[in-house]
Each structure stands twice: as structure tokens, then as C-alpha cells.
Amino acid sequence: MQPTQPWIGKPATDILFILLPPFVCLLLIVLFPSVFSNTSGIPDAAWVVLILLIDVAHVYSTLFRTYFDKAAFRKQRTLLLAIPLIGFGAGVLVYSVSAQLFWRLLAYVAIFHFVRQQYGFMRVYSRREQVPVWMHRVDTITIYTATVYPVLYWHLRGPRHFNWFIDDDLVYFRSGNLLSIAGWLYVIILAVWISKEIMLAIRHRYINLPRILVISGTLLSWYMGIVFFNGDMAFTLLNVVSHGIPYMALVWMYGKKHYAGNQKGGRFLAVVFSRWGWVLFLCLLFLFAFIEEGLWDFTVWKEHRSIFATGISGNHVFSNEILAFIVPLLAVPQLTHYILDGFIWKIKQDDFRWSGTGKKG
């Protein structure tokens, strides 16, 4: 007998906050094409919602799973203290050599993190399946193809009208032949996956709805955001929303299961994950994000002075020597988030627990 649908939390929560975001983003683009037709720049209002309240905010949700959890912090104190310190030190060294190299390395670490998150969700939603091993392998190959092919296309085709962090933070090696081969492999792998799902439905009379939605949502959002559309707004919407909202939802569901109504993680987490604690949870995330982005704008970017009121400080420009310390310091939260994400999530027997293996899923 095949298992029931492998939801993480309540079906409605999974569907709304983990599975539907990429599809909702695509629907918005279809309904409002003029808004997403611009090839560069993001309006301030969209920047606040997408970058500040989702992209940067979701980074700080890791705090509630690690540093704010007293038991987890005691268990992994060395790791939790070492990662930000080593990350800052390495960042200073790299930035001192080349600012471009710093952002390039950070971009690739971020891409790896984004790719692995989709694989992680796929594994979570496959945890109860009793199917042949080759079917699991097809799913693994497909989820990696869904994310890696668009990134490979980006490298082989050349610069797009958007970037990950800064201009030319990726390495381009244009090749029409390799691009053609990669495209055919993409189509073949997609056809094999669809055939496998049809076979599973017919022979085993089973459809794993959340796993199918994770894989198909990843296929659509990554392909449309990087390959099909060539605009900053479309890429940012699909990239940020499809990644940030599910991650915050995952942390929230974990917290509700493990911290609400008890003192396992301490009194603070018990309050945050109480019935109406989601208000405090989101407010704290937004506050952390606002402070960080305000510091970025004051010291480095100087692009949203009206939002952070940083214009009153004038046009002071910090020297490269000072920036070699400021930039890595401000990048510590996201770098720590990228690295810790490979350690903290593991699902076994329908439970979330600290892994420590460096693998997610």
C-alpha cells in the first residue's frame, strides 16, 4: 500500500507557502506583463517587498533554528561560533585581493544553496515513497537538471539583463554547441521524468502531489526566470519568492512543532511560536533585514536613501581598505545562512532534527 501524501505540516500550509509560490509568481507575470517587461532595475516598492521583506528577511529565520535555540546552540556551539568568524576572516582576505572575486565566490555559494534547497524539499516529499530505486534517481536527476540547466544556460549564453549580486559576478564561457547539447539533455531528462510519473500513476496507482509540485514548480520558475524571461523584475520575483517564502515557512512549521507550548528551545522561542507569535516572528525578521540593508545602503550601495534615510549622511565614500572589512562583515549573516543550511535540516520518521552531516534531505 502506498503512503498518504507526505505533507510537512498541515496540507493547506504546505500548499500555500511552500508549493504554490512559483506558480503564483508566474501567474502574476502573465497577468501583468507590462510590469515585468523592464529589462533593468526594480521599483522601490517592489524592492522593499522582494529584497528587504523576503530575500534578506528569510536569511535571519535561520537564527530561530540555531542561535536562538538554547539546546541546539549548546550542542553545536563550536560550529555556530566558528562559521561566522571563519567566514568573516576569509571574506576579508578575499575582498582584499579582489572585490570582484569576493562577490563572484559569494554568488556561486548562493547558487549552490538555492539548488540544494530545492533538492532538500524534493527529498522531504519523497520520504515515504516505496518505489524502485531508479525512480528516486530520476527525481534527483530531474531536480538538479531543473536548477543547473538554467544556470549553465546563463554561463553559456552570456550576460543577461540581471545579475545575482553585481555585474559580471558569474564567469561566462559562450558556446553554442555546448548550449545545444545541454538543451537536448534537458528535454530528454524532462521527458523521462514525465514518463516515470505516468508509469507510477498507472502501475502503482499513486501520485505524490507535493513532490510533483516541488519539481514542476522548480522547473518552471528557474527556466522562466533565467532562460525565458530576460528581465530583472521577473528574475527577482521568481528567484526570491520561490526560495525565501518556503524557507521561512519551513522554519515556522519546525518551530510550531518543537517550541510551541514547551521550553525545549527556551522561553523566547516558546513565545515566538505560540498561536499569535507569527506576528513577532515576522516583525523580528523584518527588523533584522531593515537594519542590515540600511547598513549596506549607508556604506556600499547608496541606492535606497529615501527608504533608510541615509541621504542625510551625505555622499561619504569609504576607502577600499575600509570596505575590505565592512563588506565581509555585512555579508556574514547570509554566508552563515548558506553554510548552516547544509547542517541543520534532516527529516527522519516525520521529524526535523539537527543533522550535522552537511547534507540536507
Side-chain angles (χ1 to χ4, degrees):
M1 179 181 295
Q2 285 294 343
T4 57
Q5 297 297 318
W7 306 110
I8 298 174
K10 294 180 180 179
T13 305
D14 281 47
I15 291 172
L16 287 175
F17 298 107
I18 294 179
L19 302 173
L20 280 189
F23 299 99
V24 172
C25 292
L26 285 172
L27 180 61
L28 289 174
I29 294 173
V30 170
L31 293 177
F32 306 100
S34 60
V35 176
F36 298 94
S37 61
N38 64 308
T39 57
S40 62
I42 302 177
D44 282 350
W47 184 88
V48 169
V49 174
L50 297 177
I51 303 301
L52 186 63
L53 301 185
I54 298 178
D55 189 31
V56 180
H58 97 276
V59 167
Y60 287 95
S61 62
T62 304
L63 292 172
F64 295 87
R65 179 68 180 86
T66 53
Y67 297 93
F68 291 165
D69 183 332
K70 292 183 178 179
F73 185 80
R74 285 195 300 268
K75 183 178 180 180
Q76 298 290 342
R77 179 188 300 270
T78 301
L79 179 70
L80 292 175
L81 294 177
I83 287 177
L85 290 175
I86 294 174
F88 172 66
V92 171
L93 291 176
V94 174
Y95 197 97
S96 299
V97 173
S98 168
Q100 184 74 32
L101 178 61
F102 173 87
W103 288 111
R104 181 162 291 169
L105 290 176
L106 192 62
Y108 282 106
V109 173
I111 291 172
F112 177 79
H113 163 71
F114 274 59
V115 170
R116 287 290 289 175
Q117 175 167 307
Q118 298 312 111
Y119 169 75
F121 275 120
M122 186 276 294
R123 285 288 303 276
V124 168
Y125 287 123
S126 302
R127 68 192 186 279
R128 298 181 190 171
E129 285 188 331
Q130 300 173 2
V131 298
V133 174
W134 71 267
M135 289 190 173
H136 286 300
R137 290 175 178 170
V138 168
D139 289 336
T140 297
I141 293 172
T142 303
I143 197 71
Y144 277 125
T145 300
T147 51
V148 172
Y149 170 73
V151 175
L152 185 61
Y153 177 95
W154 194 349
H155 286 73
L156 296 175
R157 187 65 181 268
R160 312 294 282 159
H161 290 143
F162 49 84
N163 53 67
W164 203 276
F165 289 123
I166 64 173
D167 292 340
D168 296 324
D169 51 8
L170 301 185
V171 179
Y172 305 112
F173 41 97
R174 297 177 180 84
S175 174
N177 291 332
L178 289 178
L179 187 59
S180 178
I181 294 172
W184 278 108
L185 287 174
Y186 181 81
V187 172
I188 292 171
I189 292 171
L190 181 57
V192 171
W193 176 68
I194 293 174
S195 300
K196 187 269 292 185
E197 290 299 332
I198 294 174
M199 182 186 303
L200 183 61
I202 295 175
R203 292 188 178 182
H204 297 265
R205 297 182 180 180
Y206 176 66
I207 296 177
N208 186 331
L209 180 62
R211 178 180 52 72
I212 290 175
L213 288 176
V214 162
I215 295 177
S216 58
T218 303
L219 283 162
L220 287 171
S221 61
W222 284 67
Y223 184 88
M224 292 296 182
I226 295 176
V227 178
F228 188 81
F229 297 111
N230 190 17
D232 201 4
M233 269 289 290
F235 169 73
T236 303
L237 178 71
L238 288 164
N239 184 44
V240 166
V241 173
S242 300
H243 177 83
I245 290 180
Y247 192 90
M248 287 189 284
L250 183 66
V251 172
W252 176 256
M253 285 189 284
Y254 177 90
K256 287 291 291 182
K257 183 175 183 179
H258 289 267
Y259 305 134
N262 60 64
Q263 299 292 323
K264 289 183 179 180
R267 183 176 300 178
F268 171 68
L269 291 184
V271 172
V272 170
F273 292 100
S274 60
R275 183 176 181 180
W276 293 102
W278 61 270
V279 177
L280 177 60
F281 177 72
L282 291 179
C283 285
L284 288 173
L285 294 183
F286 298 160
L287 176 62
F288 294 146
F290 186 87
I291 293 173
E292 180 192 315
E293 281 302 309
L295 292 173
W296 275 111
D297 196 77
F298 171 71
T299 58
V300 182
W301 305 128
K302 305 183 186 300
E303 295 175 344
H304 299 96
R305 296 182 176 184
S306 60
I307 297 174
F308 301 104
T310 53
I312 58 176
S313 61
N315 296 314
H316 180 74
V317 177
F318 291 92
S319 67
N320 289 332
E321 290 76 16
I322 299 298
L323 289 177
F325 288 91
I326 292 177
V327 172
L329 180 62
L330 293 179
V332 162
Q334 64 193 98
L335 181 60
T336 303
H337 164 71
Y338 296 156
I339 298 174
L340 282 180
D341 188 59
F343 288 90
I344 62 179
W345 299 111
K346 186 178 182 180
I347 291 186
K348 187 175 183 179
Q349 297 178 347
D350 295 334
D351 191 20
F352 295 86
R353 61 178 186 167
W354 184 284
S355 169
T357 62
K359 295 182 179 180
K360 183 178 180 180

